[in-house]
Amino acid sequence: MTRSTLAVGLTAALLLMATACPDAWGQSRAATQSIWINDGNNATSFPRGRANRLGYQINVRLSAPDIPETQRVEIEFISTGGPTTADHNFTLLLTPRGIGHSPPQSALEVELPFQIPEQTTQQTIVRHLPKTSYGDAYEVSILDNGQPITKAPNEIGKPLQPYTVVEKGLRDELRWRLIWIDSDQDESVREPSLQSLVESTFDMQWDADVFQPEQLRVNEAGQVNEPFVAVQSHTPDELPLDWRSWLPFDAVVIHRQDYLRFQSEKPPWWKPFTQWIHGGGVVLIRGTQPDEVNDTQQISDSASTLDAPTIDALAKSAQQMLRTGAAEMSRNWAQINAINQQINVMDEATRQSLEAIENFRRSFASSDGNQSQATRLGTAKGMQVFPVEAGVLVQLPAHGNDEPIGVLDWRTTKSILGFHALRTLRRGADPMIGTQRFFEWMIPGVSQPPVYTFMGFLGLFVVLVGPVAYRKTTRSGRSYLMFLIAPVLAVATTVAMMGYGIIADGFGTRLRARQITWVNSNGDAMSRTRSTYFAGIRPSNGLQFPANASVTLLLDNEETSWEDRINQRFAPRGKVTVTEEEIRFSSRLLPSRQQRQFVAEQPRDQFGTVRITESESDAVKRVSVMLQNDCELNLQNVLVRDQDGLFFQAENLKPGQSARAKLVSSLDASKLLGDWYKSQWLVNSKTNRQSDSGSGEMRRRMMTETFDVINKIRSTLALTAAPTDGVFEYELQQRMQLGKSLPNNSYIALADLSDDVPAIDGISIENSIHFVMGDMP
């Protein structure tokens, strides 16, 4: 059976499954909660079968992406016998299956307690939980007051192929995942626009030998599920009410008129949508008309970050790549066609496949059009790029009402976005296999061998065994006692060394946190916190994070690649419990006398900002300004840059209070920022231990194997300037160390840590820092 025939058969089977079992596709009955990638494996029901003696039914749906990302869980309770007569305390248990998660020791067990109150007929509960593995196969159980409601657990998700999982996992990380928000304004152009998006990936598909031209590219619901692009189309009523539901997606495509209307009306999903944007999300605004090209004030108060020549240069580069790719594909097609004709194997299936490939080639070749298309993406056509804190807002080129988004539009947009196009690079944290960047943020002096102290113990042992014990036993004629003295002293020295190591580290818990809070001019903020924990004795209550946070476990990868871990023993890392009040990791994830790191992203509404309340109007005479701290935290030190580019510094600015900030030179401001940045950065020799290997064979092997997902993505896309620790760290580095400097009418401050940063009560905080940066109103 040829690959083409097999693909057609699989497609038909999936379409039949969708028709026969619509609920298997995970469609929610609550329209406002429906946001799924429907693969037919992400839903299950309790009880199963026709007989139902429970008096209720519970449907469980998981967000289907296999990627290690915040996972959405939807629990739908439906009473089948009228309103409930008593409260029900349920617990949903998700137990990872060994055949469905990779690497084998990266999955988490999940516990989701939820309550159904008396007199309930239907209720939907949505929770978001950390996911640290690739894959989504679980055993699902539900407990009612501690007792399982069915005899055996249900199964959800799909198994993985161990020897192809790494390649597939990396491809899914590189797959561009979009949400297309449907609109009455341009319903007719959705399908051709998404078809152009698929065609824009032709060169990647051809090179990767996954080209399947005979499959249906865009279905009637506006869904695309291709190797290098995935799209979900949703009406506004189906959009999620939690910012973390957007995290598995790279970009959202919305019509201009809808964007402006929702910006004014602020429907329930608008707030979490903007929170996702502020944390690094990308919004592509379509539907700009020619007469609206320069009308951008309603969209953004900021100026475009790219000028017209830069955008035109990117458009020309994208066009040249299309032209080169079309020529290469034409040559490959001609060779395949000639070979098939020569060996006389031109059966009907092969003929149809070749015809589809040629039609596909012609469709993207036609996008080349004429030479004038090289400039159609400049600002003359309305394409502009606006920053929204960590996120990006792109106004796509102006089109007529019936003109779809073209191949060149998509390719240029992807080039403009750079690393912003990929959610993994924006977040800068991958929990699957860890990273050697783990050692860049450790607690100094703990869980590390005290080398010089141990050398002292060993030296004392040598002195006691040699000159002291041997001399005395020899002079007394009892040298045979050395057979007893030497082992006793050796045991005593070993115990002393171990005891010193334990006592030196202590028995309490310690925290080192690096918090970055990015505030917009309205005072709302997003916070990214990288925390390192050490426990002398494992905390019995585990670690508790805020309920609205997205938490990622960041491990040391122990110089072991993903490929090397495939055959390891399967064992979950630990348990995570998610309630309405908190996200709790079990104590197993913080072993005694080891350091563990977590990255938490969290929206902070009405965090507050810094404003200039009094200033001389003449910049030449301005020597100070009056600052007011509207933030909820004490600002230990703050540096502001006013609208004229002058720098002012103030210290110890308490919440709600004002202080006089003095003028400082740009050189002094640069030195101050450099001192802030260097004072909290730990340089550890272990960071580069991979590159220190003396084995050339090891270095060559590490070039091809997956030791670090983020660096693998960077190298695959040749993005040398892409961040390794996320857009928050990248922006901070740009503002404090490199040439970008602090923008006008903005500030950077050092502040106390937020109260909800420590995940363990009574913990000792040391060597921590909190950067607050943002725009002034």
Side-chain angles (χ1 to χ4, degrees), residues 83-139:
T84 56
T85 58
D87 292 344
H88 288 274
N89 295 309
F90 292 109
T91 301
L92 172 67
L93 301 179
L94 300 177
T95 304
R97 298 161 56 199
I99 61 172
H101 291 268
S102 186
Q105 297 180 351
S106 62
L108 291 174
E109 298 171 313
V110 177
E111 186 176 281
L112 300 178
F114 63 98
Q115 186 180 63
I116 301 298
E118 186 180 354
Q119 298 297 312
T120 299
T121 56
Q122 183 171 352
Q123 184 174 344
T124 300
I125 297 98
V126 177
R127 300 279 170 79
H128 295 80
L129 53 97
K131 187 171 184 290
T132 60
S133 60
Y134 179 82
D136 57 2
Y138 295 93
E139 289 184 350

Side-chain angles (χ1 to χ4, degrees), residues 535-557:
I537 299 177
R538 179 184 298 182
S540 59
N541 291 330
L543 301 96
Q544 300 89 41
F545 293 89
N548 67 337
S550 171
V551 187
T552 301
L553 178 63
L554 193 65
L555 294 175
D556 166 25
N557 68 4

Side-chain angles (χ1 to χ4, degrees), residues 233-445:
S233 295
H234 293 284
T235 64
D237 290 339
E238 296 174 339
L239 298 178
L241 306 181
D242 192 296
W243 74 279
R244 290 166 297 185
S245 293
W246 301 87
L247 287 176
F249 302 97
D250 295 300
V252 172
V253 189
I254 186 172
H255 194 276
R256 174 191 175 92
Q257 297 302 321
D258 291 338
Y259 182 86
L260 297 178
R261 176 166 59 89
F262 296 141
Q263 190 178 47
S264 175
E265 295 177 355
K266 293 182 171 52
W269 57 268
W270 184 257
K271 184 67 174 181
F273 176 59
T274 56
Q275 290 172 340
W276 170 73
I277 299 173
H278 294 167
V282 172
V283 180
L284 309 179
I285 296 182
R286 67 182 193 269
T288 299
Q289 298 299 308
D291 59 346
E292 298 172 330
V293 164
N294 297 318
D295 184 15
T296 61
Q297 286 300 311
Q298 298 180 70
I299 295 177
S300 176
D301 294 333
S302 304
S304 178
T305 56
L306 296 177
D307 55 17
T310 302
I311 295 177
D312 287 339
L314 291 171
K316 291 178 182 178
S317 176
Q319 186 184 44
Q320 183 59 46
M321 291 179 63
L322 282 171
R323 191 176 296 144
T324 303
E328 181 68 20
M329 193 173 186
S330 181
R331 286 192 296 269
N332 291 340
W333 174 84
Q335 292 174 3
I336 293 175
N337 190 26
I339 292 173
N340 279 280
Q341 289 181 348
Q342 183 177 359
I343 62 178
N344 196 24
V345 294
M346 189 66 72
D347 57 15
E348 186 61 25
T350 304
R351 186 185 305 278
Q352 291 179 359
S353 180
L354 288 173
E355 288 177 357
I357 291 175
E358 175 61 7
N359 292 334
F360 189 54
R361 185 194 66 80
R362 289 174 180 171
S363 67
F364 70 74
S366 65
S367 67
D368 191 19
N370 50 57
Q371 294 297 326
S372 64
Q373 291 220 0
T375 59
R376 70 186 295 270
L377 290 181
T379 51
K381 285 290 183 178
M383 191 170 199
Q384 298 191 55
V385 185
F386 305 101
V388 187
E389 281 68 60
V392 175
L393 194 153
V394 179
Q395 179 175 275
L396 295 176
H399 290 297
N401 289 328
D402 57 349
E403 184 181 358
I405 303 173
V407 173
L408 188 58
D409 298 351
W410 291 116
R411 289 295 288 260
T412 305
T413 301
K414 196 81 176 289
S415 298
I416 286 174
L417 291 175
F419 71 83
H420 283 281
L422 299 172
R423 65 199 173 276
T424 304
L425 295 181
R426 297 196 304 249
R427 299 193 68 197
D430 179 88
M432 283 192 298
I433 60 176
T435 170
Q436 289 299 289
R437 292 186 298 279
F438 173 90
F439 293 99
E440 295 176 356
W441 191 252
M442 295 182 68
I443 301 175

